[in-house]
Amino acid sequence: MATEATRSGAGHPRRWAVLAVLAAVAFMAQLDLFIVNIAVPAMSRSFGGAGLSGLSWVLNAYAIVFAALLVPAGRLADHFGRRLVLLSGVVVFTLASVLCALAPTLPVLVGGRAVQAVGAAMIVPTSLGLLLPSFPPRQHTLVVGVWAGVAAVAASSGSPVGGVLVAVDWRWIFLVNVPIGVATVVAGLRVLPEIRAGRGARLPDAVSTVSLLAAVTLLVLATVQGPAWGWGSAGVVGLLAAAALATVVTVRRSARHPRALVEASLFRGREFTGASVALLLFYVAFGAWLLITVLFLQDVWHYSALRAGVAIVPGPLASAAFAVNSGRITGRFGRVLPAAAGTSLLALAAVFWLLVAPAHPAYAADFLPGLLLGGAGAGLAQAPMFAAAGTLPPDRATTGSAVLNMSRQVGSAIGVAVLVALLASPQPHALAAFHRGWALVAGAALGAALVVTVTHRAADRRGTREAPVAVPPEPGGTAAGGGAYEGGTVCGSGARAAR
C-alpha cells in the first residue's frame, strides 16, 4: 500500500534525494546517446580507417535497441518493481560500458553499445515512473521540468564532455560511466522507493509486445540502412513493409486488447499525442544537429576533437540556462509557448548556419550565434513536451514516459540516418553537403513547432490540457493516486516496506 505521506499528497519524505539519484542515472543514460558523436574520427583511426557508414552503427545500434525496448521495459518495471528494474538497468549499463571501453574491434564495440542500450531502456522511463509518485501533484510540473531539463543538458553536453575525454583516449567516454553507475546503485538502494503492480495484476499482452518491438526495430533498421542499401532497394522496401504490417498489428491490438502493451487510452488526450509526434520531429532535427555540428567543425574547419568539444560548450551552457528554469518558464507561459519557441529556435539556428557558415573558420561571427540559438532551443523545448507525461494518471507515468522516449529515439535514429545519406560520402568535406543537412534540421524543427502549436491549443480549447486521462485499472486492482500502480504496492527506502 502507499505510504502515509503519499496518501496525504506530501510525497516521499526523501523526495529530493530521490530526484538527485534519478537525475544522475537519467543523465548518464542520455549522455551516452550523444557523447559518441565527437569520438567518431578517433574511432575511425583505431579501427583501421572505418568510414562514417560503418561507424554510424556505434550510434545506430544504441538508438535501435533503446527505442525498441523502452515501452516493454517500462511496462515490465511497473509489473516487477520500478526500483528493481531501474537499478538492474544501471548494472547492465555499467558493465556494458566496460565492454565498450575494452572493445578490440568495431563489431565488439557495436555489440557493447547494444547491451548499453538495454540498460538505458530499463533506466529512462522507469526514472520518471519513480519520480512522479515521490512528489505531491503540485510539484509535478517542476520535477518533470527538471527531469526533462537533465535530458536536454545531457544531450547538449555530449560533444564537449566527449571532446575532453577523447583528447586522452576515446575509450574514456565509456569508462566515465563506471563510477557514476556504482555510486547511483549504492545511493538508489538507500533512497529509492519500490513501486510495483499489486497481486493479481497480469503481464502485458505478448502479441502487442512482440509487434511493437518488431515495428520499431524494422523501421529504424530500414532508416539507418537506407543510405547504404539504397532507399528503393528490395531490402529497405521489405523492411518498411514489414514495419508497416507490425504497426497495424500493434494499433489493432492496442485498440482491442485490455492489456495491450501501449493502451489506446493514452492517446485520448491531444496534448500527449501531440507531444509524442512533436518529440519525434524535434529529435529528427536535434539528432542531426548534434552530429552535423561535430562533423562540420572537424571535417570542414579541421578542428581537433578537444578543440571542437570546447567550441561547442556554449551550446550546453545555453541549454542548461533554460532547462534549469523550465518549470518556472512553463508555470509562467504554459507549455505551448516555450515548446513552440524552443523548436523554432533550433530551426533558426540551422537557417543561420545555412546562410552564413563559411568554409574557413570564423567562429565568433558565423558559428557561435547558431550554437547559442540551438542550445537555447533544446533547453526550452524539451521540458514542456516531456511534461505531457504528467497529464496521465500516476500509474501510467512509466508507460507514458516510455512512449515519449520511444518517439525521441526513433526520431534521433532517423535524423542521424537521413543526415548520413545527405552528406553522401564516408568522410564529408564539401560545404554544400552540410547545407543539405542544415535544411533537414530546419524543416524537422519547424514541423515540431507546428505540431506543438496545433495540438496543444486544440487541447486547451477542449479543456483537456491539464486533465489526466481516465484509465481503468486491470482486473484485480484499483488505480491508486499518488503512485500506487493498479492496486499495487509502494515500498519505502531500501528493503523497508512502506506501511
Side-chain angles (χ1 to χ4, degrees):
M1 64 175 69
T3 62
E4 291 298 329
T6 299
R7 285 196 296 266
S8 68
H12 193 278
R14 303 178 70 179
R15 55 189 175 275
W16 297 109
V18 170
L19 175 60
V21 172
L22 296 177
V25 296
F27 183 89
M28 179 179 69
Q30 306 284 9
L31 182 67
D32 264 56
L33 278 166
F34 303 102
I35 196 172
V36 175
N37 288 350
I38 202 163
V40 166
M43 290 176 178
S44 177
R45 292 189 293 269
S46 291
F47 297 124
L52 182 58
S53 294
L55 287 165
S56 67
W57 275 100
V58 179
L59 307 174
N60 294 333
Y62 192 100
I64 292 171
V65 176
F66 191 17
L69 293 182
L70 275 164
V71 178
R75 287 298 299 272
L76 291 175
D78 282 341
H79 190 85
F80 292 108
R82 296 177 186 176
R83 185 185 67 174
L84 172 64
V85 171
L86 182 137
L87 295 182
S88 298
V90 174
V91 172
V92 171
F93 189 92
T94 303
L95 294 176
S97 297
V98 175
L99 175 62
C100 291
L102 300 177
T105 64
L106 182 57
V108 173
L109 176 59
V110 171
R113 287 283 285 170
V115 178
Q116 260 194 325
V118 174
M122 298 166 71
I123 292 171
V124 174
T126 314
S127 63
L128 187 57
L130 282 168
L131 184 62
L132 287 176
S134 298
F135 283 81
R138 68 179 183 279
Q139 293 182 313
H140 282 182
T141 298
L142 170 65
V143 297
V144 171
V146 171
W147 185 90
V150 165
V153 174
S156 302
S157 300
S159 293
V161 172
V164 173
L165 296 174
V166 169
V168 181
D169 191 307
W170 64 263
R171 297 177 188 274
W172 277 98
I173 65 176
F174 301 111
L175 289 175
V176 72
N177 294 325
V178 177
I180 300 175
V182 172
T184 52
V185 168
V186 173
L189 288 171
R190 293 177 60 86
V191 305
L192 294 181
E194 182 59 288
I195 303 173
R196 65 172 65 91
R199 293 178 181 176
R202 299 170 65 183
L203 286 169
D205 168 50
V207 174
S208 60
T209 300
V210 173
S211 63
L212 181 65
L213 279 169
V216 175
T217 302
L218 292 169
L219 172 62
V220 180
L221 180 60
T223 304
V224 301
Q225 287 300 103
W229 293 355
W231 293 103
S233 67
V236 171
V237 172
L239 287 172
L240 289 174
L245 178 60
T247 301
V248 171
V249 173
T250 303
V251 172
R252 288 175 62 88
R253 200 73 174 178
S254 295
R256 298 180 178 183
H257 199 281
R259 297 191 312 279
L261 183 68
V262 178
E263 307 97 325
S265 57
L266 291 178
F267 297 97
R268 290 174 187 159
R270 291 197 178 192
E271 186 172 0
F272 181 82
T273 303
S276 301
V277 176
L279 275 169
L280 187 146
L281 291 172
F282 178 78
Y283 261 85
V284 168
F286 193 48
W289 184 76
L290 290 170
L291 182 57
I292 199 173
T293 302
V294 173
L295 293 176
F296 179 78
L297 289 174
Q298 295 190 75
D299 293 325
V300 178
W301 285 4
H302 304 292
Y303 278 21
S304 67
L306 177 59
R307 187 180 181 189
V310 173
I312 292 169
V313 164
L317 292 179
S319 179
F322 284 93
V324 298
N325 291 294
S326 58
R328 184 179 304 171
I329 294 171
T330 301
R332 173 66 177 84
F333 297 102
R335 293 183 183 138
V336 179
L337 182 59
T343 50
S344 299
L345 283 175
L346 182 60
L348 184 60
V351 170
F352 177 83
W353 284 340
L354 181 63
L355 295 176
V356 307
H360 302 286
Y363 178 80
D366 297 334
F367 190 79
L368 181 61
L371 194 63
L372 294 173
L373 287 170
L380 193 59
Q382 294 184 73
M385 287 191 285
F386 275 108
T391 65
L392 302 174
D395 56 295
R396 289 297 183 267
T398 303
T399 303
S401 171
V403 170
L404 294 174
N405 277 283
M406 181 181 68
S407 295
R408 179 185 63 179
Q409 292 317 123
V410 171
S412 181
I414 292 173
V416 169
V418 174
L419 177 64
V420 170
L422 292 175
L423 295 181
S425 65
Q427 294 293 337
H429 293 281
L431 190 59
F434 286 89
H435 287 167
R436 294 193 293 270
W438 289 322
L440 165 68
V441 173
L446 287 175
L450 180 62
V451 170
V452 165
T453 302
V454 171
T455 58
H456 282 56
R457 291 204 180 281
D460 287 348
R461 288 195 299 270
R462 291 167 63 92
T464 60
R465 178 176 169 189
E466 297 294 337
V469 179
V471 181
E474 288 189 8
T478 56
Y485 171 70
E486 297 182 352
T489 302
V490 181
C491 300
S493 303
R496 186 175 66 253
R499 300 184 185 277

